Amino acid sequence: MGDMTNSDFYSKNQRNESSHGGEFGCTMEELRSLMELRGTEAVVKIKETYGDTEAICRRLKTSPVEGLPGTAPDLEKRKQIFGQNFIPPKKPKTFLQLVWEALQDVTLIILEIAAIISLGLSFYHPPGESNEGCATAQGGAEDEGEAEAGWIEGAAILLSVICVVLVTAFNDWSKEKQFRGLQSRIEQEQKFTVVRAGQVVQIPVAEIVVGDIAQVKYGDLLPADGLFIQGNDLKIDESSLTGESDQVRKSVDKDPMLLSGTHVMEGSGRMVVTAVGVNSQTGIIFTLLGAGGEEEEKKDKKGKMQDGNADASQSKAKQQDGAAAMEMQPLKSAEGGDADDKKKANMHKKEKSVLQGKLTKLAVQIGKAGLVMSAITVIILVLYFTVDTFVVNKKPWLPECTPVYVQYFVKFFIIGVTVLVVAVPEGLPLAVTISLAYSVKKMMKDNNLVRHLDACETMGNATAICSDKTGTLTTNRMTVVQAYVGDVHYKEIPDPSSINAKTMELLVNAIAINSAYTTKILPPEKEGALPRQVGNKTECGLLGFVLDLKQDYEPVRSQMPEEKLYKVYTFNSVRKSMSTVTKLPDESFRMYSKGASEIVLKKCCKILNGAGEPRVFRPRDRDEMVKKVIEPMACDGLRTICVAYRDFPSSPEPDWDNENDILNDLTCICVVGIEDPVRPEVPEAIRKCQRAGITVRMVTGDNINTARAIAIKCGIIHPGEDFLCLEGKEFNRRIRNEKGEIEQERIDKIWPKLRVLARSSPTDKHTLVKGIIDSTHTEQRQVVAVTGDGTNDGPALKKADVGFAMGIAGTDVAKEASDIILTDDNFSSIVKAVMWGRNVYDSISKFLQFQLTVNVVAVIVAFTGACITQDSPLKAVQMLWVNLIMDTFASLALATEPPTETLLLRKPYGRNKPLISRTMMKNILGHAVYQLTLIFTLLFVGEKMFQIDSGRNAPLHSPPSEHYTIIFNTFVMMQLFNEINARKIHGERNVFDGIFRNPIFCTIVLGTFAIQIVIVQFGGKPFSCSPLQLDQWMWCIFIGLGELVWGQVIATIPTSRLKFLKEAGRLTQKEEIPEEELNEDVEEIDHAERELRRGQILWFRGLNRIQTQIEVVNTFKSGASFQGALRRQSSVTSQSQDVANLSSPSRVSLSNALSSPTSLPPAAAGHSVNFK
């Protein structure tokens, strides 16, 4: 079924439909064309053709109240006639397509070209070989074996490229497969509420058929097209289909059309399903996409059912609004990002991930270095040859000799290419892929479902987390623990007998009727467990309160079923309250209302006393109540909810649309305090975050006292610290100027100290996230993670660098907008994500440290060998064994190091920290020195040490010498032991720490060792090896072991002394500029880039000056000797040359000096001290 293309699917449905059309009163075609109408057109069409929606239900043989009978034959028949609610997924990319994509990598292209040239040249045998008179430069010291084995090199490079490509493609393929599995899992879990045979049941979305009566509510994503039958205040965000961001209000007589793929933003209701699957509006768009949509598939995004609806809106949206407007349109459909990349660049904040940026930069740097080296090699060889032949030996250039000379030059070119090939780190793309894929797989076990691969690595650089309170920091299991009823404040659940009967009845009715009927409390699944809460958790808490008072809400609800409710004002983030109007038997109306206590109490003018009679409730009574009841509850971390009611006369009937008049003059029944306990593991998780240099901020809709109390319990704020807790209103007042526009400078004054933002609206959350990300207040750009579960969190989740959606409590919209889904809704899983993210970064640094040592040594050996002995001591095939195989395995070994808690003890790296730090540079160069010293010693005096024949200048056709074999073997042994050194990159001493926790690493080291023995003892001619004796082996291993000792020596050299070391792979500010800006001013940027270095130097000089002045002032203030300051002054001058690194002492002093609130940015707030 899944493989059927859309058109088959379609024609099949058409055929079926023509044969069965008569059984129902309308055909699929008719319904489809009906669903394409909007608003009043649709209403008119329904009136003309069918009469009303009831009539359509009759024709579809369904009852608006009872739903379908739900019998199997009936459902089957409907599926056959009207189709299934299933959109055949787009064909996944074939393995070959993935291979082709993997081949696009720059490093691989360089290698492919080098390999092809090398192969072509190895088969090129020009004439004139026999012409002895031409030249006999030592360039010809290559034996027959080498000449015949010339092709091996090219072939081996190609083989390595094929390896990398296959591994990458396989990785992508398995990722895609996992993703589809995951997708189908998400889709199977996606259930929808329908009424069948009078019972409300939840069925998988794919089971919905035409004629079903579906219940829709806030936060739903509509799974099929339908007509609105009845409901309250239903508002839909149709931007994913129309591109219009306004919410559309649905009603039976004005606009009854509900379309699949749109989001319910408010209210609830029922609809009769009229089109499913490929016939629904989303399906139709999908069918259109199916033809030309291959190229827009970005494989990391998802193939979820509602993906396509965005794409139609794209073109419209494009005309309507530029990038700026996109930013603010709430929930510009989450899927919109896919449709085309340009749009994505504008709309989506995801620039190249930090790591990708740094790696690309590094690859380019290495490539340039390799090119220079290979060019120099070729030039030296050519000069040596020409000088030797034509100047020293004074040979004339004979025309018949030209081909021979050409062949020499070609050979020199091959040597040059070899040097280049050795310089490029082939293992790098592989290491990155393996590391990310491994992490994502493991993160699944840690309850992180990664939707976008780079999110995993970005998380390691996170500097701020803006978290929701409910459900993330707390358990989201609400229970009423205090109540204020009948003028008494009960600190625990009151005894039912102590509450007046009239009050009790009002209370039970108000809670039972004025809450979504889908919210229920079910008996526990296991003995002794807590009762299950289904639906809105706050309402569950209130229903639980009714049960605790030994009352029952079911009979009240069955007496007043949902259809009989006269009017419902559903909860939304503006009202912060929910009200339901019912008609009493005497035709008058009663409205029950509940909501945030400070909001509802403002609208109360009476309150029920102990006898159940209303008494006057004046503003000063209210202030007293806030002080005596609400604030103490809030300070215990309770949410306070006020329950109230109001009676209306039957005539004249009130104007229900005038909300302000209706929601007023209420009578307060009671105020309850609901506790949502903090998850036990959260305080520890937050402490870990803070230790790791990540600021946790809480953004919540609760009142400020509750929020502050919970923040203290979690450890987000500690009493006595300097921090801000703001309410949404106050926050807005502070960040806007007189015209009401948001100013970045104002946000910059607030966010560094802000820890709690209470009573915040979704836009506040978005504003805060955007403000922190755009801030230039700190030296590093902040990397912000956001958690969210509600539909209204969509914009903030999309804006953040990493968006976490809640897997259990999250709405579809939130999951759509997120990068990682927390399958257990738990904050401590975020800490795991940080750990994995940092681990990816470290794994790649470890690999680079190892790989670059090998490359530096190999390049220098090949280069000097070629120039001095005209013949490299390490043969091409040996080079490739070291370069390709060992590196590929090493990438596997080092990229799968499991993360440790110690990763959380350091600050985030940030964007401008180079990929290869000074410590790593020290290690790379230090080990290279050791290895080169030994290799050259062995090369020039090795034969004397081992009493063997020298391998240098061996005559042609001689068998492989022991001498060169020892060099090769020693080289490999040194790499093996250096691989163990590479496990630590911050200069730690114990390189064996936790080595047995990584079985892959141990296996690979031992495996490589075993293969090396085989190569040396049995490799023979192809590997240019001759078997070695045991004592020679011992020496090789001993020299290798020396690497570990040497590693300790290097670790003792303080990095701060080695000022001359440069870092590599660093992102400057310039690369921070997002693409859309780059496109506009490309010319300026090139100019700017030149200015940038100058600007930076001036800026640092200026800073250093100010710093010294502040020092002097401070020193005089404290009366201490100011020699310290002078000493520092001298160190400062030396630093202005080394712009990138302000040395540690000055950083510390600078941050102290600037801690007084001057207008200076605290440029280097002492973070990197620990790692220098």
Side-chain angles (χ1 to χ4, degrees):
M1 170 73 235
D3 300 333
M4 224 191 277
T5 62
N6 289 335
S7 49
D8 308 344
F9 193 77
Y10 219 62
S11 50
K12 179 167 170 230
N13 279 332
Q14 302 298 41
R15 282 200 302 281
N16 289 343
E17 181 242 311
S18 51
S19 54
H20 293 279
E23 302 200 12
F24 294 99
C26 36
T27 62
M28 183 177 77
E29 267 308 294
E30 288 170 9
L31 288 175
R32 244 183 80 179
S33 53
L34 171 65
M35 290 319 289
E36 282 170 5
L37 302 173
R38 301 279 178 272
T40 39
E41 288 178 24
V43 178
V44 172
K45 170 90 172 152
I46 293 173
K47 274 220 171 71
E48 287 173 359
T49 320
Y50 303 103
D52 59 0
T53 40
E54 298 277 323
I56 294 183
C57 290
R58 281 199 296 280
R59 290 196 180 192
L60 289 173
K61 300 186 177 162
T62 179
S63 139
V65 182
E66 296 285 312
L68 291 177
T71 56
D74 176 55
L75 296 178
E76 203 38 56
K77 196 162 72 188
R78 285 172 192 274
K79 279 184 188 167
Q80 276 184 336
I81 295 177
F82 297 111
Q84 286 180 304
N85 194 19
F86 167 78
I87 295 175
K90 227 165 57 206
K91 280 219 257 329
K93 288 197 173 145
T94 59
F95 192 67
L96 287 174
Q97 281 169 312
L98 292 171
V99 167
W100 176 243
E101 274 178 19
L103 279 170
Q104 313 296 311
D105 186 84
V106 185
T107 346
L108 292 181
I109 291 172
I110 296 176
L111 280 174
E112 286 155 28
I113 294 170
I116 290 165
I117 292 174
S118 151
L119 263 179
L121 295 179
S122 70
F123 293 124
Y124 167 69
H125 291 300
E129 296 247 346
S130 53
N131 196 333
E132 285 304 314
C134 292
T136 52
Q138 288 131 293
E142 88 174 71
D143 55 49
E144 208 92 301
E146 277 273 288
E148 274 152 27
W151 61 272
I152 292 185
E153 188 172 332
I157 300 174
L158 280 183
L159 192 73
S160 82
V161 170
I162 291 169
C163 270
V164 173
V165 166
L166 287 180
V167 172
T168 315
F170 179 73
N171 248 326
D172 284 347
W173 179 77
S174 62
K175 194 172 78 198
E176 184 118 343
K177 188 157 148 272
Q178 267 176 341
F179 214 82
R180 285 188 182 257
L182 199 118
Q183 219 34 62
S184 61
R185 211 179 80 197
I186 292 179
E187 272 164 26
Q188 281 153 14
E189 283 173 7
Q190 215 183 358
K191 291 201 160 54
F192 209 80
T193 317
V194 297
V195 181
R196 285 199 178 162
Q199 289 292 316
V200 177
V201 287
Q202 288 214 323
I203 59 169
V205 168
E207 296 293 309
I208 293 177
V209 293
V210 171
D212 257 323
I213 303 295
Q215 291 197 342
V216 296
K217 59 178 189 315
Y218 163 79
D220 280 343
L221 191 120
L222 299 183
D225 293 354
L227 295 174
F228 184 64
I229 309 177
Q230 68 70 214
N232 330 301
D233 212 13
L234 190 66
K235 289 191 185 155
I236 307 271
D237 169 21
E238 293 188 347
S239 62
S240 55
L241 278 181
T242 59
E244 305 287 343
S245 62
D246 303 338
Q247 294 174 12
V248 187
R249 192 181 194 131
K250 298 292 177 184
S251 62
V252 180
D253 44 0
K254 293 213 176 61
D255 182 1
M257 314 307 269
L258 297 175
L259 307 173
S260 59
T262 56
H263 297 127
V264 182
M265 300 307 278
E266 235 180 85
S268 59
R270 290 183 167 193
M271 69 169 188
V272 55
V273 177
T274 53
V276 292
V278 283
N279 304 308
S280 66
Q281 293 303 301
T282 307
I284 292 169
I285 293 173
F286 244 126
T287 317
L288 298 176
L289 276 182
E294 270 76 7
E295 59 277 18
E296 115 286 340
E297 169 83 285
K298 279 297 234 190
K299 63 177 167 301
D300 288 21
K301 284 279 200 182
K302 35 210 296 148
K304 209 165 177 180
M305 265 190 43
Q306 69 280 18
D307 243 18
N309 26 2
D311 303 359
S313 67
Q314 291 306 24
S315 45
K316 287 187 192 161
K318 237 189 212 127
Q319 295 145 18
Q320 297 163 4
D321 46 27
M326 305 263 331
E327 198 74 274
M328 276 317 293
Q329 284 196 9
L331 292 175
K332 182 50 145 177
S333 82
E335 312 82 8
D338 281 8
D340 45 14
D341 290 346
K342 191 149 162 215
K343 184 71 163 217
K344 191 167 177 190
N346 273 349
M347 174 180 150
H348 210 34
K349 80 283 166 177
K350 301 275 189 299
E351 316 132 37
K352 237 188 202 169
S353 85
V354 186
L355 185 64
Q356 283 169 337
K358 290 180 181 178
L359 282 173
T360 314
K361 191 127 196 251
L362 188 71
V364 170
Q365 286 174 338
I366 293 175
K368 282 180 187 161
L371 269 174
V372 170
M373 286 297 274
S374 57
I376 294 176
T377 314
V378 174
I379 291 166
I380 289 181
L381 286 170
V382 170
L383 283 177
Y384 189 92
F385 175 76
T386 40
V387 169
D388 191 59
T389 312
F390 302 119
V391 180
V392 181
N393 298 335
K394 300 193 171 55
K395 295 212 172 153
W397 179 296
L398 301 171
E400 67 269 21
C401 290
T402 308
V404 182
Y405 297 144
V406 169
Q407 197 191 5
Y408 273 122
F409 292 147
V410 164
K411 177 168 178 278
F412 299 148
F413 181 69
I414 290 184
I415 293 179
V417 170
T418 315
V419 172
L420 173 64
V421 169
V422 170
V424 178
E426 302 79 7
L428 197 54
L430 193 65
V432 179
T433 321
I434 291 177
S435 189
L436 281 173
Y438 173 76
S439 302
V440 169
K441 225 190 190 87
K442 290 284 193 214
M443 281 169 82
M444 271 298 290
K445 288 199 178 72
D446 282 340
N447 304 312
N448 282 299
L449 195 144
V450 181
R451 289 186 48 218
H452 302 138
L453 258 190
D454 53 358
C456 151
E457 167 261 317
T458 312
M459 206 45 220
N461 291 318
T463 53
I465 297 176
C466 295
S467 172
D468 262 8
K469 177 180 78 73
T470 311
T472 316
L473 299 173
T474 59
T475 55
N476 202 8
R477 210 196 142 76
M478 310 280 187
T479 39
V480 173
V481 288
Q482 294 187 19
Y484 180 87
V485 192
D487 292 341
V488 187
H489 183 179
Y490 297 96
K491 295 285 186 176
E492 59 251 0
I493 300 287
D495 189 299
S497 57
S498 64
I499 296 178
N500 177 295
K502 273 203 295 207
T503 312
M504 183 67 99
E505 189 194 358
L506 271 170
L507 178 61
V508 173
N509 281 348
I511 290 175
I513 293 172
N514 184 28
S515 58
Y517 278 31
T518 45
T519 304
K520 309 189 200 36
I521 291 197
L522 302 178
E525 285 176 337
K526 298 198 280 289
E527 274 300 305
L530 293 166
R532 278 183 301 154
Q533 297 188 337
V534 181
N536 180 314
K537 300 295 189 212
T538 312
E539 291 180 354
C540 284
L542 291 168
L543 291 174
F545 179 52
V546 171
L547 298 176
D548 288 341
L549 292 172
K550 308 283 185 282
Q551 307 292 316
D552 192 2
Y553 62 88
E554 285 294 347
V556 179
R557 283 185 172 180
S558 45
Q559 216 175 342
M560 172 64 71
E562 210 167 353
E563 299 75 64
K564 285 198 187 162
L565 299 180
Y566 197 78
K567 170 101 181 122
V568 178
Y569 300 94
T570 48
F571 181 89
N572 66 22
S573 49
V574 182
R575 284 192 196 120
K576 296 258 191 230
S577 69
M578 169 180 179
S579 311
T580 305
V581 182
T582 59
K583 212 169 188 167
L584 299 177
D586 63 358
E587 292 295 303
S588 65
F589 300 99
R590 173 168 290 171
M591 178 180 77
Y592 296 111
S593 195
K594 70 163 191 286
S597 56
E598 59 260 49
I599 290 170
V600 177
L601 277 178
K602 277 192 188 131
K603 298 176 177 166
C604 290
C605 62
K606 297 199 186 73
I607 187 167
L608 294 183
N609 61 16
E613 298 302 327
R615 67 171 168 82
V616 179
F617 184 64
R618 293 181 299 272
R620 67 158 186 269
D621 299 336
R622 182 171 71 232
D623 296 340
E624 188 175 348
M625 180 144 168
V626 167
K627 245 199 235 60
K628 295 271 170 64
V629 180
I630 291 174
E631 281 185 1
M633 281 188 187
C635 293
D636 293 342
L638 305 182
R639 297 175 69 166
T640 52
I641 302 275
C642 175
V643 183
Y645 77 102
R646 178 183 176 184
D647 287 331
F648 296 96
S650 52
S651 65
E653 186 173 324
D655 170 13
W656 298 114
D657 289 333
N658 185 350
E659 260 185 62
N660 292 347
D661 290 357
I662 300 282
L663 296 180
N664 228 328
D665 299 339
L666 305 176
T667 306
C668 170
I669 304 173
C670 73
V671 173
V672 294
I674 298 185
E675 180 183 44
D676 183 7
V678 172
R679 286 174 178 266
E681 59 285 329
V682 161
E684 174 56 21
I686 286 181
R687 208 163 51 247
K688 281 183 187 162
C689 281
Q690 290 164 340
R691 210 171 44 213
I694 301 171
T695 314
V696 182
R697 296 182 173 83
M698 181 159 104
V699 183
T700 173
D702 261 348
N703 96 28
I704 189 147
N705 295 335
T706 310
R708 190 184 287 123
I710 299 269
I712 290 174
K713 280 185 190 165
C714 293
I716 291 178
I717 53 185
H718 304 288
E721 274 184 359
D722 178 22
F723 54 78
L724 285 173
C725 293
L726 294 180
E727 286 203 332
K729 277 197 190 116
E730 172 64 10
F731 174 69
N732 273 309
R733 198 183 58 70
R734 290 198 190 187
I735 61 172
R736 292 173 191 273
N737 58 16
E738 296 67 51
K739 296 181 192 154
E741 295 157 350
I742 296 173
E743 287 189 355
Q744 187 63 43
E745 300 85 82
R746 290 173 184 245
I747 298 184
D748 284 349
K749 287 200 186 93
I750 294 176
W751 73 257
K753 285 187 179 175
L754 183 70
R755 291 293 176 273
V756 176
L757 185 57
R759 283 272 174 257
S760 67
S761 67
T763 13
D764 295 340
K765 191 169 186 175
H766 182 266
T767 309
L768 176 68
V769 173
K770 185 174 182 319
I772 298 180
I773 288 180
D774 295 347
S775 169
T776 48
H777 181 73
T778 45
E779 129 193 68
Q780 301 283 9
R781 143 145 145 52
Q782 294 277 314
V783 178
V784 184
V786 171
T787 69
D789 52 6
T791 304
N792 48 15
D793 292 325
L797 286 171
K798 272 201 102 49
K799 178 68 192 152
D801 294 289
V802 183
F804 285 92
M806 300 297 138
I808 305 169
T811 55
D812 297 339
V813 184
K815 289 180 188 169
E816 234 0 91
S818 69
D819 300 301
I820 297 180
I821 295 175
L822 293 179
T823 49
D824 62 345
D825 287 16
N826 194 334
F827 187 84
S828 60
S829 304
I830 298 178
V831 182
K832 300 240 178 66
V834 173
M835 215 155 77
W836 276 108
R838 292 185 172 190
N839 194 48
V840 168
Y841 196 98
D842 278 9
S843 296
I844 289 173
S845 298
K846 286 171 190 174
F847 172 70
L848 275 173
Q849 181 173 305
F850 171 73
Q851 164 94 61
L852 292 180
T853 313
V854 179
N855 284 9
V856 168
V857 174
V859 166
I860 293 177
V861 168
F863 172 72
T864 44
C867 299
I868 298 170
T869 62
Q870 317 261 290
D871 171 29
S872 174
L874 294 174
K875 298 287 179 288
V877 184
Q878 298 175 349
M879 276 295 200
L880 286 162
W881 153 243
V882 173
N883 222 5
L884 301 174
I885 319 304
M886 282 184 64
D887 289 356
T888 312
F889 281 137
S891 67
L892 191 64
L894 293 167
T896 52
E897 287 272 311
T900 56
E901 289 280 331
T902 47
L903 287 169
L904 295 174
L905 298 176
R906 63 171 174 74
K907 300 276 182 283
Y909 280 149
R911 294 180 159 257
N912 335 7
K913 181 158 189 330
L915 195 58
I916 296 180
S917 62
R918 280 228 181 127
T919 316
M920 286 168 62
M921 211 40 140
K922 177 183 76 175
N923 290 342
I924 292 171
L925 295 178
H927 288 295
V929 167
Y930 174 81
Q931 297 184 8
L932 286 169
T933 316
L934 281 162
I935 286 176
F936 284 131
T937 312
L938 286 175
L939 179 59
F940 294 112
V941 294
E943 71 272 26
K944 299 194 187 70
M945 289 160 56
F946 288 105
Q947 277 100 45
I948 48 176
D949 298 333
S950 164
R952 289 194 310 286
N953 308 331
L956 290 175
H957 316 314
S958 59
S961 68
E962 284 185 355
H963 183 189
Y964 274 19
T965 308
I966 289 179
I967 295 179
F968 165 58
N969 199 18
T970 311
F971 181 62
V972 172
M973 287 303 126
M974 292 196 286
Q975 301 321 326
L976 262 186
F977 287 102
N978 195 30
E979 199 168 325
I980 299 176
N981 277 330
R983 290 184 66 241
K984 301 290 176 214
I985 49 175
H986 296 304
E988 294 92 332
R989 291 237 166 232
N990 181 4
V991 288
F992 292 102
D993 180 31
I995 194 164
F996 296 115
R997 285 223 317 280
N998 186 358
I1000 301 181
F1001 186 87
C1002 304
T1003 325
I1004 284 177
V1005 170
L1006 296 173
T1008 317
F1009 185 62
I1011 299 173
Q1012 177 65 16
I1013 295 178
V1014 174
I1015 288 179
V1016 170
Q1017 299 305 94
F1018 312 106
K1021 195 85 189 241
F1023 278 100
S1024 322
C1025 285
S1026 87
L1028 298 180
Q1029 267 95 47
L1030 189 62
D1031 60 329
Q1032 294 167 336
W1033 264 102
M1034 282 305 154
W1035 273 106
C1036 294
I1037 294 175
F1038 175 70
I1039 295 174
L1041 276 169
E1043 270 287 355
L1044 294 174
V1045 182
W1046 183 247
Q1048 296 301 317
V1049 176
I1050 294 179
T1052 21
I1053 305 172
T1055 316
S1056 48
R1057 290 286 165 78
L1058 307 171
K1059 280 285 182 331
F1060 57 87
L1061 288 183
K1062 282 278 168 279
E1063 300 123 329
R1066 170 196 200 109
L1067 282 178
T1068 54
Q1069 251 66 32
K1070 183 224 150 198
E1071 277 119 54
E1072 292 293 284
I1073 299 172
E1075 307 197 351
E1076 63 267 40
E1077 294 164 36
L1078 272 176
N1079 304 342
E1080 292 160 21
D1081 34 45
V1082 174
E1083 301 79 22
E1084 294 170 38
I1085 291 292
D1086 294 307
H1087 178 65
E1089 190 177 357
R1090 289 196 297 276
E1091 294 300 315
L1092 194 79
R1093 295 242 73 83
R1094 298 220 318 257
Q1096 260 182 344
I1097 293 170
L1098 291 172
W1099 162 238
F1100 277 114
R1101 276 191 199 147
L1103 259 188
N1104 287 332
R1105 270 198 204 137
I1106 292 165
Q1107 176 189 336
T1108 315
Q1109 286 160 4
I1110 293 175
E1111 287 264 74
V1112 175
V1113 174
N1114 283 358
T1115 317
F1116 277 140
K1117 267 190 204 154
S1118 60
S1121 82
F1122 70 120
Q1123 274 162 359
L1126 291 177
R1127 259 205 305 280
R1128 232 157 262 146
Q1129 162 72 64
S1130 61
S1131 77
V1132 165
T1133 38
S1134 69
Q1135 280 158 37
S1136 51
Q1137 285 92 36
D1138 193 356
V1139 176
N1141 313 301
L1142 277 166
S1143 74
S1144 355
S1146 62
R1147 287 206 167 188
V1148 180
S1149 60
L1150 177 61
S1151 60
N1152 299 343
L1154 293 183
S1155 56
S1156 53
T1158 52
S1159 57
L1160 257 174
H1167 284 336
S1168 50
V1169 178
N1170 325 347
F1171 311 114
K1172 275 289 169 199

